[in-house]
Each structure stands twice: as C-alpha cells, then as structure tokens.
Amino acid sequence: MNIDLLKHAQVQAQLAAEPPKDPQIQALVNELISRVADKWTMIILDVLAEQGALRFTQLANKVTGISQKMLTQTLREMEREGLVTRTVYPVVPPKVEYRLTDLGLSLGAAFCGVWIWAEQNLGAIEQARAAYKLRNNQGNGK
Amino acid sequence: MNIDLLKHAQVQAQLAAEPPKDPQIQALVNELISRVADKWTMIILDVLAEQGALRFTQLANKVTGISQKMLTQTLREMEREGLVTRTVYPVVPPKVEYRLTDLGLSLGAAFCGVWIWAEQNLGAIEQARAAYKLRNNQGNGK
DNA sequence: CGGAATCCGGTACGATACTG
DNA sequence: CAGTATCGTACCGGATTCCG
C-alpha cells in the first residue's frame, strides 16, 4: 500500500502545510538523501544504468573529470549502500566489474526525472545565470 | 506502483543500444547535474517546495545541520541557477524571503521520485550496510 | 536584531607516484 | 589493471564581526 507516498506527492503538488509526518523518518530520509545526492554518485549511477557492467578504467573514462581516488571512494560508498556489486575476477591482468543492484537500478529510475529535467532546462538555466550576472553588475571585478 | 518509473527502469535496462545521443549535450547535462546534485541544494529545495516562502533563519532551522555560511552560499548558487528568488525587505529588522521559481518547482517535482525512493528503501539500505559490514569482517582492526 | 562577510582550523578533494 | 599512499590545496564548518 502506497498511501503515504501518494499523500506525499499530493502535498508536494499543492505546496501546502505538511500533514503529521514523523520527524524521525524525515531525518532519516534526509540523511539518506545526503549520502546519495552526490554529483559523482549520480553520474556513476547513470553511466552504469546505461552501460550495464563496467570495469574500473572503463568507468574512469566514462565519468569525465573524476579522479581515481574519488572513483574508488564513491564506488566503495555505493557498494556499502547496496547500490552496486563489485566482482573481482582473479586473473593475471586484474579485472573488476561494477554493476548496479536492483536497488541501484531503482534509484536510477527514480532519478531519471531529474535527468529529463536537466535536458529540458539547460537553456533556462543558462538564461538565469546570465540574468543574475546582469543583476549583479557583471563588470564589477570585486 | 508507479508505472512511469517501471517503464523508465525497463528502458534503462535495455539502454545498451541507446540511440545516437549528442556527447556535447551529455556533457552539458552532466555539468548541470553536478551543480544541482548537492545535498544541501536538494534539502533546501525540498523544504522550500513544502513551505512556500521562508526567511533566512526559518530556513536555517528547517535544514538541520547546515551552517549559516553554507546556507548563504547554497542559496546564492541556487539564485544564480534561477531556482530561487531572493526578496529583501528593507525594514529595520532585516527580512529576506526565499521562494522557489517555476524552474525550482519543476526541479522539485522531478526530484520527488528520489524522495519517494528514499522513503521506500530506508530499510533496504540499512540491510545493505549491515551486509557490507559482515562481508568485510568489521572486527578487522586493519 | 537578522542576515551576511571574514578569519581560521579541519577535512575532503585532486594529482602524482607506487604496489600487487 | 586496479587500486593504495602521500602531499598540497581548495573547500567546508564555527565563531566572530560587521552592516542595515
């Protein structure tokens, strides 16, 4: 039964006063979001969702701009949270494959709306940035 | 169950053969996600989506654990991106109100799926964490 | 008095070098 | 190839100070 979830969605839609929601739950959810709402986590999640299984270096190439350290760290974190599985093949050239779990896939699906939003609003964001610059007298070097 | 999410999940599953996607667009979207996928941004976004308009201190109270500095900084960033509007009332006790723009509201709606996911999978994550601990025999003093 | 800018200590991050 | 180790740096958090 997803009544709570529907209620939550409706509340979001009408932006009104929040019904009695467990502040404890709220805090837990916030904490969970804090861990998951990381830029590297999100991008890795997306890449893995698209590519299926990938090796360490493959991942490093797909996720442009990440350092090995952060890649390792983020992958470990995601493994801890149960979002990815790490499979080590004990062969002479070491081979480690990363793959999303069902939990990871479901998060990817949930996050899909944000990617769509990002694609749709690229232009709007750029305009907003330009407008902000103007508002703050862009020429000011200070 | 949410049909859209399931459909997205299926699409994600078979995305290996994704149609020609512009790598330029991909990079831009990635960069945009990098800015938006920040834990404080997400939580502030959620609080503002629920509460409508809030003053600085109200926000500081609702967003548990944030420092004034990060709150100011994140709000400025969100203002730059066009997610929130900042209204200053030039009165004796200073009053500054923050409110989501349409863009911010749409992002909140897009991110709603992630909040629902978080609520649904709180238990699963905890279990995954416990399982990971066991796998790595936590007792190991390393 | 509320909101933001400033200084300072800690931590997380990036780049490089090294190991199995 | 897939990490770990080390170090310099940039960012984050806390307290203080400043401004309206």
Side-chain angles (χ1 to χ4, degrees), chain A residues 65-77:
Chain A
I66 198 172
S67 61
Q68 287 97 335
K69 187 179 180 179
M70 276 317 290
L71 183 55
T72 304
Q73 194 171 310
T74 309
L75 283 171
R76 286 285 144 77
E77 179 74 13

Side-chain angles (χ1 to χ4, degrees), chain A residues 32-48:
Chain A
L32 179 51
I33 292 285
S34 297
R35 301 194 191 217
V36 155
D38 168 65
K39 69 173 189 172
W40 293 131
T41 304
M42 285 306 143
I43 294 179
I44 291 174
L45 190 79
D46 183 61
V47 170
L48 281 179

Side-chain angles (χ1 to χ4, degrees), chain A residues 6-16 18, chain B residues 49-50 105 108-109 112:
Chain A
L6 286 179
K7 274 167 77 177
H8 181 74
Q10 286 168 8
V11 164
Q12 293 275 349
Q14 66 190 11
L15 306 175
E18 185 77 350
Chain B
E50 285 175 359
L105 280 173
C112 192

Side-chain angles (χ1 to χ4, degrees), chain B residues 28-54:
Chain B
L28 283 176
V29 172
N30 266 24
E31 196 231 0
L32 178 53
I33 291 287
S34 297
R35 299 191 192 220
V36 154
D38 168 67
K39 69 174 190 173
W40 294 130
T41 304
M42 285 307 143
I43 294 179
I44 291 174
L45 189 79
D46 183 60
V47 169
L48 281 179
E50 285 175 359
Q51 307 289 331
L54 282 166

Side-chain angles (χ1 to χ4, degrees), chain B residues 4-69:
Chain B
D4 273 342
L5 296 183
L6 284 181
K7 277 166 79 175
H8 281 312
Q10 288 167 7
V11 167
Q12 295 275 352
Q14 65 189 8
L15 270 187
E18 181 68 352
K21 208 183 248 178
D22 219 323
Q24 257 185 336
I25 301 292
Q26 190 69 22
L28 283 176
V29 172
N30 266 24
E31 196 231 0
L32 178 53
I33 291 287
S34 297
R35 299 191 192 220
V36 154
D38 168 67
K39 69 174 190 173
W40 294 130
T41 304
M42 285 307 143
I43 294 179
I44 291 174
L45 189 79
D46 183 60
V47 169
L48 281 179
E50 285 175 359
Q51 307 289 331
L54 282 166
R55 303 177 53 178
F56 187 84
T57 348
Q58 311 261 345
L59 221 40
N61 291 337
K62 291 277 180 188
V63 184
T64 28
I66 199 172
S67 62
Q68 287 101 334
K69 187 179 182 178

Side-chain angles (χ1 to χ4, degrees), chain B residues 76-107:
Chain B
R76 285 285 145 78
E77 177 74 13
M78 292 173 77
E79 194 192 354
R80 279 186 66 242
E81 312 273 346
L83 300 178
V84 301
T85 59
R86 177 171 178 272
T87 314
V88 182
Y89 298 91
V91 292
V92 182
K95 180 176 175 181
V96 182
E97 260 191 9
Y98 294 92
R99 180 185 294 272
L100 288 186
T101 62
D102 288 345
L103 202 58
L105 280 173
S106 67
L107 177 55

Side-chain angles (χ1 to χ4, degrees), chain A residues 89-110:
Chain A
Y89 297 91
V91 291
V92 182
K95 182 177 176 179
V96 181
E97 262 191 6
Y98 294 91
R99 178 185 295 273
L100 289 186
T101 63
D102 288 344
L103 202 59
L105 280 172
S106 68
L107 176 56

